[in-house]
mmCIF file with all atom_site columns, all heavy atoms in Angstrom:
data_model
loop_
_atom_site.group_PDB
_atom_site.id
_atom_site.type_symbol
_atom_site.label_atom_id
_atom_site.label_alt_id
_atom_site.label_comp_id
_atom_site.label_asym_id
_atom_site.label_entity_id
_atom_site.label_seq_id
_atom_site.pdbx_PDB_ins_code
_atom_site.Cartn_x
_atom_site.Cartn_y
_atom_site.Cartn_z
_atom_site.occupancy
_atom_site.B_iso_or_equiv
_atom_site.pdbx_formal_charge
_atom_site.auth_seq_id
_atom_site.auth_comp_id
_atom_site.auth_asym_id
_atom_site.auth_atom_id
_atom_site.pdbx_PDB_model_num
ATOM 1   N N   . VAL A 1 1  ? -26.521 40.144 -47.369 1.00 44.00 ? 18 VAL A N   1
ATOM 2   C CA  . VAL A 1 1  ? -27.111 40.302 -46.083 1.00 44.00 ? 18 VAL A CA  1
ATOM 3   C C   . VAL A 1 1  ? -28.622 40.401 -46.252 1.00 44.00 ? 18 VAL A C   1
ATOM 4   O O   . VAL A 1 1  ? -29.114 41.178 -47.052 1.00 44.00 ? 18 VAL A O   1
ATOM 5   C CB  . VAL A 1 1  ? -26.578 41.544 -45.379 1.00 44.00 ? 18 VAL A CB  1
ATOM 6   C CG1 . VAL A 1 1  ? -27.233 41.686 -43.977 1.00 44.00 ? 18 VAL A CG1 1
ATOM 7   C CG2 . VAL A 1 1  ? -25.078 41.462 -45.249 1.00 44.00 ? 18 VAL A CG2 1
ATOM 8   N N   . GLY A 1 2  ? -29.370 39.544 -45.557 1.00 47.00 ? 19 GLY A N   1
ATOM 9   C CA  . GLY A 1 2  ? -30.817 39.570 -45.626 1.00 47.00 ? 19 GLY A CA  1
ATOM 10  C C   . GLY A 1 2  ? -31.412 40.876 -45.133 1.00 47.00 ? 19 GLY A C   1
ATOM 11  O O   . GLY A 1 2  ? -30.744 41.659 -44.365 1.00 47.00 ? 19 GLY A O   1
ATOM 12  N N   . ASN A 1 3  ? -32.582 41.229 -45.536 1.00 47.00 ? 20 ASN A N   1
ATOM 13  C CA  . ASN A 1 3  ? -33.205 42.530 -45.210 1.00 47.00 ? 20 ASN A CA  1
ATOM 14  C C   . ASN A 1 3  ? -33.424 42.657 -43.683 1.00 47.00 ? 20 ASN A C   1
ATOM 15  O O   . ASN A 1 3  ? -33.483 43.818 -43.222 1.00 47.00 ? 20 ASN A O   1
ATOM 16  C CB  . ASN A 1 3  ? -34.566 42.711 -45.937 1.00 47.00 ? 20 ASN A CB  1
ATOM 17  C CG  . ASN A 1 3  ? -34.325 42.848 -47.401 1.00 47.00 ? 20 ASN A CG  1
ATOM 18  O OD1 . ASN A 1 3  ? -33.298 43.296 -47.876 1.00 47.00 ? 20 ASN A OD1 1
ATOM 19  N ND2 . ASN A 1 3  ? -35.322 42.488 -48.206 1.00 47.00 ? 20 ASN A ND2 1
ATOM 20  N N   . ASP A 1 4  ? -33.591 41.545 -42.979 1.00 43.00 ? 21 ASP A N   1
ATOM 21  C CA  . ASP A 1 4  ? -33.915 41.670 -41.547 1.00 43.00 ? 21 ASP A CA  1
ATOM 22  C C   . ASP A 1 4  ? -32.660 41.674 -40.659 1.00 43.00 ? 21 ASP A C   1
ATOM 23  O O   . ASP A 1 4  ? -32.728 41.700 -39.424 1.00 43.00 ? 21 ASP A O   1
ATOM 24  C CB  . ASP A 1 4  ? -34.742 40.432 -41.124 1.00 43.00 ? 21 ASP A CB  1
ATOM 25  C CG  . ASP A 1 4  ? -34.030 39.098 -41.297 1.00 43.00 ? 21 ASP A CG  1
ATOM 26  O OD1 . ASP A 1 4  ? -33.088 39.069 -42.120 1.00 43.00 ? 21 ASP A OD1 1
ATOM 27  O OD2 . ASP A 1 4  ? -34.412 38.141 -40.648 1.00 43.00 ? 21 ASP A OD2 1
ATOM 28  N N   . VAL A 1 5  ? -31.456 41.822 -41.238 1.00 43.00 ? 22 VAL A N   1
ATOM 29  C CA  . VAL A 1 5  ? -30.197 41.778 -40.529 1.00 43.00 ? 22 VAL A CA  1
ATOM 30  C C   . VAL A 1 5  ? -29.580 43.134 -40.523 1.00 43.00 ? 22 VAL A C   1
ATOM 31  O O   . VAL A 1 5  ? -29.499 43.818 -41.518 1.00 43.00 ? 22 VAL A O   1
ATOM 32  C CB  . VAL A 1 5  ? -29.229 40.742 -41.123 1.00 43.00 ? 22 VAL A CB  1
ATOM 33  C CG1 . VAL A 1 5  ? -27.932 40.744 -40.377 1.00 43.00 ? 22 VAL A CG1 1
ATOM 34  C CG2 . VAL A 1 5  ? -29.885 39.338 -41.073 1.00 43.00 ? 22 VAL A CG2 1
ATOM 35  N N   . ASN A 1 6  ? -29.120 43.609 -39.395 1.00 45.00 ? 23 ASN A N   1
ATOM 36  C CA  . ASN A 1 6  ? -28.325 44.841 -39.282 1.00 45.00 ? 23 ASN A CA  1
ATOM 37  C C   . ASN A 1 6  ? -26.951 44.581 -39.865 1.00 45.00 ? 23 ASN A C   1
ATOM 38  O O   . ASN A 1 6  ? -26.122 43.965 -39.265 1.00 45.00 ? 23 ASN A O   1
ATOM 39  C CB  . ASN A 1 6  ? -28.250 45.303 -37.813 1.00 45.00 ? 23 ASN A CB  1
ATOM 40  C CG  . ASN A 1 6  ? -27.468 46.575 -37.640 1.00 45.00 ? 23 ASN A CG  1
ATOM 41  O OD1 . ASN A 1 6  ? -26.679 46.994 -38.501 1.00 45.00 ? 23 ASN A OD1 1
ATOM 42  N ND2 . ASN A 1 6  ? -27.663 47.241 -36.502 1.00 45.00 ? 23 ASN A ND2 1
ATOM 43  N N   . ILE A 1 7  ? -26.642 45.203 -41.030 1.00 45.00 ? 24 ILE A N   1
ATOM 44  C CA  . ILE A 1 7  ? -25.409 44.900 -41.732 1.00 45.00 ? 24 ILE A CA  1
ATOM 45  C C   . ILE A 1 7  ? -24.186 45.329 -40.919 1.00 45.00 ? 24 ILE A C   1
ATOM 46  O O   . ILE A 1 7  ? -23.189 44.648 -40.899 1.00 45.00 ? 24 ILE A O   1
ATOM 47  C CB  . ILE A 1 7  ? -25.394 45.568 -43.143 1.00 45.00 ? 24 ILE A CB  1
ATOM 48  C CG1 . ILE A 1 7  ? -24.109 45.080 -43.924 1.00 45.00 ? 24 ILE A CG1 1
ATOM 49  C CG2 . ILE A 1 7  ? -25.386 47.084 -43.043 1.00 45.00 ? 24 ILE A CG2 1
ATOM 50  C CD1 . ILE A 1 7  ? -24.232 45.389 -45.346 1.00 45.00 ? 24 ILE A CD1 1
ATOM 51  N N   . LEU A 1 8  ? -24.282 46.421 -40.165 1.00 45.00 ? 25 LEU A N   1
ATOM 52  C CA  . LEU A 1 8  ? -23.141 46.816 -39.336 1.00 45.00 ? 25 LEU A CA  1
ATOM 53  C C   . LEU A 1 8  ? -22.836 45.862 -38.244 1.00 45.00 ? 25 LEU A C   1
ATOM 54  O O   . LEU A 1 8  ? -21.713 45.680 -37.849 1.00 45.00 ? 25 LEU A O   1
ATOM 55  C CB  . LEU A 1 8  ? -23.321 48.213 -38.826 1.00 45.00 ? 25 LEU A CB  1
ATOM 56  C CG  . LEU A 1 8  ? -23.374 49.373 -39.875 1.00 45.00 ? 25 LEU A CG  1
ATOM 57  C CD1 . LEU A 1 8  ? -23.695 50.690 -39.209 1.00 45.00 ? 25 LEU A CD1 1
ATOM 58  C CD2 . LEU A 1 8  ? -22.114 49.414 -40.635 1.00 45.00 ? 25 LEU A CD2 1
ATOM 59  N N   . GLU A 1 9  ? -23.874 45.171 -37.786 1.00 53.00 ? 26 GLU A N   1
ATOM 60  C CA  . GLU A 1 9  ? -23.702 44.168 -36.705 1.00 53.00 ? 26 GLU A CA  1
ATOM 61  C C   . GLU A 1 9  ? -23.089 42.924 -37.265 1.00 53.00 ? 26 GLU A C   1
ATOM 62  O O   . GLU A 1 9  ? -22.232 42.258 -36.659 1.00 53.00 ? 26 GLU A O   1
ATOM 63  C CB  . GLU A 1 9  ? -25.016 43.851 -36.088 1.00 53.00 ? 26 GLU A CB  1
ATOM 64  C CG  . GLU A 1 9  ? -25.010 42.844 -34.998 1.00 53.00 ? 26 GLU A CG  1
ATOM 65  C CD  . GLU A 1 9  ? -26.334 42.563 -34.404 1.00 53.00 ? 26 GLU A CD  1
ATOM 66  O OE1 . GLU A 1 9  ? -27.057 43.500 -34.132 1.00 53.00 ? 26 GLU A OE1 1
ATOM 67  O OE2 . GLU A 1 9  ? -26.686 41.330 -34.270 1.00 53.00 ? 26 GLU A OE2 1
ATOM 68  N N   . LYS A 1 10 ? -23.508 42.484 -38.415 1.00 57.00 ? 27 LYS A N   1
ATOM 69  C CA  . LYS A 1 10 ? -23.078 41.185 -38.997 1.00 57.00 ? 27 LYS A CA  1
ATOM 70  C C   . LYS A 1 10 ? -21.831 41.287 -39.893 1.00 57.00 ? 27 LYS A C   1
ATOM 71  O O   . LYS A 1 10 ? -21.230 40.297 -40.155 1.00 57.00 ? 27 LYS A O   1
ATOM 72  C CB  . LYS A 1 10 ? -24.230 40.541 -39.796 1.00 57.00 ? 27 LYS A CB  1
ATOM 73  C CG  . LYS A 1 10 ? -25.427 40.249 -38.992 1.00 57.00 ? 27 LYS A CG  1
ATOM 74  C CD  . LYS A 1 10 ? -25.140 39.253 -37.914 1.00 57.00 ? 27 LYS A CD  1
ATOM 75  C CE  . LYS A 1 10 ? -26.396 38.959 -37.096 1.00 57.00 ? 27 LYS A CE  1
ATOM 76  N NZ  . LYS A 1 10 ? -26.155 38.047 -36.015 1.00 57.00 ? 27 LYS A NZ  1
ATOM 77  N N   . LEU A 1 11 ? -21.539 42.453 -40.378 1.00 55.00 ? 28 LEU A N   1
ATOM 78  C CA  . LEU A 1 11 ? -20.386 42.606 -41.290 1.00 55.00 ? 28 LEU A CA  1
ATOM 79  C C   . LEU A 1 11 ? -19.050 42.120 -40.768 1.00 55.00 ? 28 LEU A C   1
ATOM 80  O O   . LEU A 1 11 ? -18.333 41.419 -41.547 1.00 55.00 ? 28 LEU A O   1
ATOM 81  C CB  . LEU A 1 11 ? -20.301 44.070 -41.815 1.00 55.00 ? 28 LEU A CB  1
ATOM 82  C CG  . LEU A 1 11 ? -19.449 44.331 -43.004 1.00 55.00 ? 28 LEU A CG  1
ATOM 83  C CD1 . LEU A 1 11 ? -19.898 43.445 -44.159 1.00 55.00 ? 28 LEU A CD1 1
ATOM 84  C CD2 . LEU A 1 11 ? -19.373 45.753 -43.348 1.00 55.00 ? 28 LEU A CD2 1
ATOM 85  N N   . PRO A 1 12 ? -18.711 42.318 -39.521 1.00 59.00 ? 29 PRO A N   1
ATOM 86  C CA  . PRO A 1 12 ? -17.407 41.747 -39.027 1.00 59.00 ? 29 PRO A CA  1
ATOM 87  C C   . PRO A 1 12 ? -17.337 40.249 -39.238 1.00 59.00 ? 29 PRO A C   1
ATOM 88  O O   . PRO A 1 12 ? -16.268 39.716 -39.573 1.00 59.00 ? 29 PRO A O   1
ATOM 89  C CB  . PRO A 1 12 ? -17.364 42.158 -37.541 1.00 59.00 ? 29 PRO A CB  1
ATOM 90  C CG  . PRO A 1 12 ? -18.240 43.358 -37.479 1.00 59.00 ? 29 PRO A CG  1
ATOM 91  C CD  . PRO A 1 12 ? -19.334 43.183 -38.480 1.00 59.00 ? 29 PRO A CD  1
ATOM 92  N N   . PHE A 1 13 ? -18.466 39.530 -38.998 1.00 62.00 ? 30 PHE A N   1
ATOM 93  C CA  . PHE A 1 13 ? -18.454 38.105 -39.189 1.00 62.00 ? 30 PHE A CA  1
ATOM 94  C C   . PHE A 1 13 ? -18.175 37.742 -40.648 1.00 62.00 ? 30 PHE A C   1
ATOM 95  O O   . PHE A 1 13 ? -17.367 36.855 -40.978 1.00 62.00 ? 30 PHE A O   1
ATOM 96  C CB  . PHE A 1 13 ? -19.806 37.480 -38.814 1.00 62.00 ? 30 PHE A CB  1
ATOM 97  C CG  . PHE A 1 13 ? -20.097 37.541 -37.352 1.00 62.00 ? 30 PHE A CG  1
ATOM 98  C CD1 . PHE A 1 13 ? -20.918 38.463 -36.805 1.00 62.00 ? 30 PHE A CD1 1
ATOM 99  C CD2 . PHE A 1 13 ? -19.590 36.559 -36.493 1.00 62.00 ? 30 PHE A CD2 1
ATOM 100 C CE1 . PHE A 1 13 ? -21.189 38.516 -35.456 1.00 62.00 ? 30 PHE A CE1 1
ATOM 101 C CE2 . PHE A 1 13 ? -19.840 36.571 -35.162 1.00 62.00 ? 30 PHE A CE2 1
ATOM 102 C CZ  . PHE A 1 13 ? -20.645 37.534 -34.626 1.00 62.00 ? 30 PHE A CZ  1
ATOM 103 N N   . ALA A 1 14 ? -18.847 38.450 -41.563 1.00 60.00 ? 31 ALA A N   1
ATOM 104 C CA  . ALA A 1 14 ? -18.670 38.153 -42.970 1.00 60.00 ? 31 ALA A CA  1
ATOM 105 C C   . ALA A 1 14 ? -17.258 38.449 -43.461 1.00 60.00 ? 31 ALA A C   1
ATOM 106 O O   . ALA A 1 14 ? -16.672 37.666 -44.189 1.00 60.00 ? 31 ALA A O   1
ATOM 107 C CB  . ALA A 1 14 ? -19.714 38.963 -43.781 1.00 60.00 ? 31 ALA A CB  1
ATOM 108 N N   . LEU A 1 15 ? -16.714 39.599 -43.051 1.00 61.00 ? 32 LEU A N   1
ATOM 109 C CA  . LEU A 1 15 ? -15.377 39.941 -43.466 1.00 61.00 ? 32 LEU A CA  1
ATOM 110 C C   . LEU A 1 15 ? -14.326 39.027 -42.864 1.00 61.00 ? 32 LEU A C   1
ATOM 111 O O   . LEU A 1 15 ? -13.314 38.656 -43.537 1.00 61.00 ? 32 LEU A O   1
ATOM 112 C CB  . LEU A 1 15 ? -15.084 41.430 -43.116 1.00 61.00 ? 32 LEU A CB  1
ATOM 113 C CG  . LEU A 1 15 ? -15.950 42.385 -43.916 1.00 61.00 ? 32 LEU A CG  1
ATOM 114 C CD1 . LEU A 1 15 ? -15.754 43.820 -43.376 1.00 61.00 ? 32 LEU A CD1 1
ATOM 115 C CD2 . LEU A 1 15 ? -15.683 42.357 -45.414 1.00 61.00 ? 32 LEU A CD2 1
ATOM 116 N N   . LEU A 1 16 ? -14.473 38.635 -41.612 1.00 69.00 ? 33 LEU A N   1
ATOM 117 C CA  . LEU A 1 16 ? -13.550 37.693 -40.953 1.00 69.00 ? 33 LEU A CA  1
ATOM 118 C C   . LEU A 1 16 ? -13.576 36.401 -41.738 1.00 69.00 ? 33 LEU A C   1
ATOM 119 O O   . LEU A 1 16 ? -12.548 35.777 -41.973 1.00 69.00 ? 33 LEU A O   1
ATOM 120 C CB  . LEU A 1 16 ? -13.864 37.489 -39.532 1.00 69.00 ? 33 LEU A CB  1
ATOM 121 C CG  . LEU A 1 16 ? -13.462 38.589 -38.581 1.00 69.00 ? 33 LEU A CG  1
ATOM 122 C CD1 . LEU A 1 16 ? -14.121 38.481 -37.255 1.00 69.00 ? 33 LEU A CD1 1
ATOM 123 C CD2 . LEU A 1 16 ? -11.973 38.605 -38.440 1.00 69.00 ? 33 LEU A CD2 1
ATOM 124 N N   . ALA A 1 17 ? -14.764 35.926 -42.120 1.00 67.00 ? 34 ALA A N   1
ATOM 125 C CA  . ALA A 1 17 ? -14.866 34.767 -42.905 1.00 67.00 ? 34 ALA A CA  1
ATOM 126 C C   . ALA A 1 17 ? -14.146 34.928 -44.284 1.00 67.00 ? 34 ALA A C   1
ATOM 127 O O   . ALA A 1 17 ? -13.498 33.978 -44.749 1.00 67.00 ? 34 ALA A O   1
ATOM 128 C CB  . ALA A 1 17 ? -16.336 34.384 -43.129 1.00 67.00 ? 34 ALA A CB  1
ATOM 129 N N   . GLY A 1 18 ? -14.155 36.091 -44.865 1.00 72.00 ? 35 GLY A N   1
ATOM 130 C CA  . GLY A 1 18 ? -13.469 36.339 -46.077 1.00 72.00 ? 35 GLY A CA  1
ATOM 131 C C   . GLY A 1 18 ? -11.981 36.297 -45.945 1.00 72.00 ? 35 GLY A C   1
ATOM 132 O O   . GLY A 1 18 ? -11.297 36.019 -46.911 1.00 72.00 ? 35 GLY A O   1
ATOM 133 N N   . LEU A 1 19 ? -11.473 36.429 -44.720 1.00 77.00 ? 36 LEU A N   1
ATOM 134 C CA  . LEU A 1 19 ? -10.008 36.283 -44.415 1.00 77.00 ? 36 LEU A CA  1
ATOM 135 C C   . LEU A 1 19 ? -9.722  34.857 -44.020 1.00 77.00 ? 36 LEU A C   1
ATOM 136 O O   . LEU A 1 19 ? -8.581  34.573 -43.550 1.00 77.00 ? 36 LEU A O   1
ATOM 137 C CB  . LEU A 1 19 ? -9.598  37.249 -43.351 1.00 77.00 ? 36 LEU A CB  1
ATOM 138 C CG  . LEU A 1 19 ? -9.604  38.716 -43.675 1.00 77.00 ? 36 LEU A CG  1
ATOM 139 C CD1 . LEU A 1 19 ? -9.316  39.555 -42.392 1.00 77.00 ? 36 LEU A CD1 1
ATOM 140 C CD2 . LEU A 1 19 ? -8.592  39.010 -44.777 1.00 77.00 ? 36 LEU A CD2 1
ATOM 141 N N   . ASN A 1 20 ? -10.692 33.955 -44.128 1.00 76.00 ? 37 ASN A N   1
ATOM 142 C CA  . ASN A 1 20 ? -10.556 32.571 -43.693 1.00 76.00 ? 37 ASN A CA  1
ATOM 143 C C   . ASN A 1 20 ? -10.270 32.514 -42.219 1.00 76.00 ? 37 ASN A C   1
ATOM 144 O O   . ASN A 1 20 ? -9.533  31.638 -41.713 1.00 76.00 ? 37 ASN A O   1
ATOM 145 C CB  . ASN A 1 20 ? -9.454  31.827 -44.513 1.00 76.00 ? 37 ASN A CB  1
ATOM 146 C CG  . ASN A 1 20 ? -9.596  30.336 -44.369 1.00 76.00 ? 37 ASN A CG  1
ATOM 147 O OD1 . ASN A 1 20 ? -10.680 29.857 -44.193 1.00 76.00 ? 37 ASN A OD1 1
ATOM 148 N ND2 . ASN A 1 20 ? -8.483  29.613 -44.506 1.00 76.00 ? 37 ASN A ND2 1
ATOM 149 N N   . ALA A 1 21 ? -10.894 33.373 -41.493 1.00 78.00 ? 38 ALA A N   1
ATOM 150 C CA  . ALA A 1 21 ? -10.774 33.427 -40.036 1.00 78.00 ? 38 ALA A CA  1
ATOM 151 C C   . ALA A 1 21 ? -12.126 33.055 -39.396 1.00 78.00 ? 38 ALA A C   1
ATOM 152 O O   . ALA A 1 21 ? -12.850 33.918 -38.917 1.00 78.00 ? 38 ALA A O   1
ATOM 153 C CB  . ALA A 1 21 ? -10.340 34.776 -39.555 1.00 78.00 ? 38 ALA A CB  1
ATOM 154 N N   . LEU A 1 22 ? -12.449 31.814 -39.457 1.00 75.00 ? 39 LEU A N   1
ATOM 155 C CA  . LEU A 1 22 ? -13.735 31.379 -38.889 1.00 75.00 ? 39 LEU A CA  1
ATOM 156 C C   . LEU A 1 22 ? -13.470 30.933 -37.475 1.00 75.00 ? 39 LEU A C   1
ATOM 157 O O   . LEU A 1 22 ? -12.386 30.373 -37.155 1.00 75.00 ? 39 LEU A O   1
ATOM 158 C CB  . LEU A 1 22 ? -14.300 30.194 -39.725 1.00 75.00 ? 39 LEU A CB  1
ATOM 159 C CG  . LEU A 1 22 ? -14.638 30.570 -41.185 1.00 75.00 ? 39 LEU A CG  1
ATOM 160 C CD1 . LEU A 1 22 ? -15.035 29.339 -41.967 1.00 75.00 ? 39 LEU A CD1 1
ATOM 161 C CD2 . LEU A 1 22 ? -15.732 31.672 -41.174 1.00 75.00 ? 39 LEU A CD2 1
ATOM 162 N N   . PRO A 1 23 ? -14.396 31.208 -36.511 1.00 78.00 ? 40 PRO A N   1
ATOM 163 C CA  . PRO A 1 23 ? -14.147 30.846 -35.139 1.00 78.00 ? 40 PRO A CA  1
ATOM 164 C C   . PRO A 1 23 ? -14.176 29.362 -34.887 1.00 78.00 ? 40 PRO A C   1
ATOM 165 O O   . PRO A 1 23 ? -14.756 28.575 -35.594 1.00 78.00 ? 40 PRO A O   1
ATOM 166 C CB  . PRO A 1 23 ? -15.327 31.509 -34.424 1.00 78.00 ? 40 PRO A CB  1
ATOM 167 C CG  . PRO A 1 23 ? -16.403 31.572 -35.413 1.00 78.00 ? 40 PRO A CG  1
ATOM 168 C CD  . PRO A 1 23 ? -15.701 31.741 -36.792 1.00 78.00 ? 40 PRO A CD  1
ATOM 169 N N   . ASN A 1 24 ? -13.407 28.951 -33.839 1.00 82.00 ? 41 ASN A N   1
ATOM 170 C CA  . ASN A 1 24 ? -13.510 27.582 -33.402 1.00 82.00 ? 41 ASN A CA  1
ATOM 171 C C   . ASN A 1 24 ? -14.832 27.417 -32.569 1.00 82.00 ? 41 ASN A C   1
ATOM 172 O O   . ASN A 1 24 ? -15.566 28.331 -32.463 1.00 82.00 ? 41 ASN A O   1
ATOM 173 C CB  . ASN A 1 24 ? -12.242 27.152 -32.606 1.00 82.00 ? 41 ASN A CB  1
ATOM 174 C CG  . ASN A 1 24 ? -12.086 27.890 -31.263 1.00 82.00 ? 41 ASN A CG  1
ATOM 175 O OD1 . ASN A 1 24 ? -13.032 28.443 -30.696 1.00 82.00 ? 41 ASN A OD1 1
ATOM 176 N ND2 . ASN A 1 24 ? -10.895 27.849 -30.738 1.00 82.00 ? 41 ASN A ND2 1
ATOM 177 N N   . LYS A 1 25 ? -14.982 26.234 -32.011 1.00 82.00 ? 42 LYS A N   1
ATOM 178 C CA  . LYS A 1 25 ? -16.244 25.956 -31.296 1.00 82.00 ? 42 LYS A CA  1
ATOM 179 C C   . LYS A 1 25 ? -16.432 26.824 -30.087 1.00 82.00 ? 42 LYS A C   1
ATOM 180 O O   . LYS A 1 25 ? -17.571 26.961 -29.575 1.00 82.00 ? 42 LYS A O   1
ATOM 181 C CB  . LYS A 1 25 ? -16.283 24.440 -30.918 1.00 82.00 ? 42 LYS A CB  1
ATOM 182 C CG  . LYS A 1 25 ? -15.272 24.011 -29.937 1.00 82.00 ? 42 LYS A CG  1
ATOM 183 C CD  . LYS A 1 25 ? -15.393 22.563 -29.646 1.00 82.00 ? 42 LYS A CD  1
ATOM 184 C CE  . LYS A 1 25 ? -14.303 22.149 -28.655 1.00 82.00 ? 42 LYS A CE  1
ATOM 185 N NZ  . LYS A 1 25 ? -14.358 20.789 -28.234 1.00 82.00 ? 42 LYS A NZ  1
ATOM 186 N N   . ASN A 1 26 ? -15.388 27.479 -29.561 1.00 88.00 ? 43 ASN A N   1
ATOM 187 C CA  . ASN A 1 26 ? -15.454 28.359 -28.442 1.00 88.00 ? 43 ASN A CA  1
ATOM 188 C C   . ASN A 1 26 ? -15.576 29.829 -28.861 1.00 88.00 ? 43 ASN A C   1
ATOM 189 O O   . ASN A 1 26 ? -15.510 30.690 -28.013 1.00 88.00 ? 43 ASN A O   1
ATOM 190 C CB  . ASN A 1 26 ? -14.256 28.212 -27.542 1.00 88.00 ? 43 ASN A CB  1
ATOM 191 C CG  . ASN A 1 26 ? -14.173 26.752 -26.914 1.00 88.00 ? 43 ASN A CG  1
ATOM 192 O OD1 . ASN A 1 26 ? -15.167 26.197 -26.563 1.00 88.00 ? 43 ASN A OD1 1
ATOM 193 N ND2 . ASN A 1 26 ? -12.972 26.229 -26.930 1.00 88.00 ? 43 ASN A ND2 1
ATOM 194 N N   . GLY A 1 27 ? -15.783 30.116 -30.147 1.00 84.00 ? 44 GLY A N   1
ATOM 195 C CA  . GLY A 1 27 ? -15.874 31.469 -30.649 1.00 84.00 ? 44 GLY A CA  1
ATOM 196 C C   . GLY A 1 27 ? -14.612 32.239 -30.711 1.00 84.00 ? 44 GLY A C   1
ATOM 197 O O   . GLY A 1 27 ? -14.586 33.443 -30.744 1.00 84.00 ? 44 GLY A O   1
ATOM 198 N N   . ILE A 1 28 ? -13.465 31.474 -30.785 1.00 90.00 ? 45 ILE A N   1
ATOM 199 C CA  . ILE A 1 28 ? -12.152 32.115 -30.825 1.00 90.00 ? 45 ILE A CA  1
ATOM 200 C C   . ILE A 1 28 ? -11.682 32.178 -32.286 1.00 90.00 ? 45 ILE A C   1
ATOM 201 O O   . ILE A 1 28 ? -11.669 31.170 -32.982 1.00 90.00 ? 45 ILE A O   1
ATOM 202 C CB  . ILE A 1 28 ? -11.133 31.381 -29.917 1.00 90.00 ? 45 ILE A CB  1
ATOM 203 C CG1 . ILE A 1 28 ? -11.588 31.252 -28.517 1.00 90.00 ? 45 ILE A CG1 1
ATOM 204 C CG2 . ILE A 1 28 ? -9.747  32.000 -30.076 1.00 90.00 ? 45 ILE A CG2 1
ATOM 205 C CD1 . ILE A 1 28 ? -11.666 32.544 -27.811 1.00 90.00 ? 45 ILE A CD1 1
ATOM 206 N N   . TYR A 1 29 ? -11.236 33.370 -32.707 1.00 89.00 ? 46 TYR A N   1
ATOM 207 C CA  . TYR A 1 29 ? -10.663 33.549 -34.030 1.00 89.00 ? 46 TYR A CA  1
ATOM 208 C C   . TYR A 1 29 ? -9.169  33.587 -33.945 1.00 89.00 ? 46 TYR A C   1
ATOM 209 O O   . TYR A 1 29 ? -8.583  33.970 -32.943 1.00 89.00 ? 46 TYR A O   1
ATOM 210 C CB  . TYR A 1 29 ? -11.163 34.850 -34.689 1.00 89.00 ? 46 TYR A CB  1
ATOM 211 C CG  . TYR A 1 29 ? -12.602 34.965 -34.925 1.00 89.00 ? 46 TYR A CG  1
ATOM 212 C CD1 . TYR A 1 29 ? -13.493 35.329 -33.918 1.00 89.00 ? 46 TYR A CD1 1
ATOM 213 C CD2 . TYR A 1 29 ? -13.084 34.753 -36.221 1.00 89.00 ? 46 TYR A CD2 1
ATOM 214 C CE1 . TYR A 1 29 ? -14.881 35.431 -34.257 1.00 89.00 ? 46 TYR A CE1 1
ATOM 215 C CE2 . TYR A 1 29 ? -14.424 34.881 -36.523 1.00 89.00 ? 46 TYR A CE2 1
ATOM 216 C CZ  . TYR A 1 29 ? -15.299 35.189 -35.529 1.00 89.00 ? 46 TYR A CZ  1
ATOM 217 O OH  . TYR A 1 29 ? -16.635 35.301 -35.783 1.00 89.00 ? 46 TYR A OH  1
ATOM 218 N N   . THR A 1 30 ? -8.478  33.167 -35.077 1.00 92.00 ? 47 THR A N   1
ATOM 219 C CA  . THR A 1 30 ? -7.020  33.163 -35.097 1.00 92.00 ? 47 THR A CA  1
ATOM 220 C C   . THR A 1 30 ? -6.566  33.899 -36.351 1.00 92.00 ? 47 THR A C   1
ATOM 221 O O   . THR A 1 30 ? -7.057  33.607 -37.436 1.00 92.00 ? 47 THR A O   1
ATOM 222 C CB  . THR A 1 30 ? -6.478  31.726 -35.133 1.00 92.00 ? 47 THR A CB  1
ATOM 223 O OG1 . THR A 1 30 ? -6.904  31.049 -33.979 1.00 92.00 ? 47 THR A OG1 1
ATOM 224 C CG2 . THR A 1 30 ? -4.964  31.744 -35.159 1.00 92.00 ? 47 THR A CG2 1
#
């Protein structure tokens, strides 16, 4: 995580990506 990013705000995105749960074009995760 870059120094200018709030880790608590961005961490759910990173962890979801680690579960191979990337959002579709409408921001929906499965």
Side-chain angles (χ1 to χ4, degrees):
V18 180
N20 292 333
D21 62 336
V22 177
N23 178 341
I24 189 167
L25 293 177
E26 178 182 315
K27 299 298 180 182
L28 195 56
F30 290 101
L32 294 171
L33 283 165
L36 291 174
N37 198 26
L39 299 174
N41 67 18
K42 64 181 179 178
N43 297 319
I45 304 294
Y46 293 83
T47 302

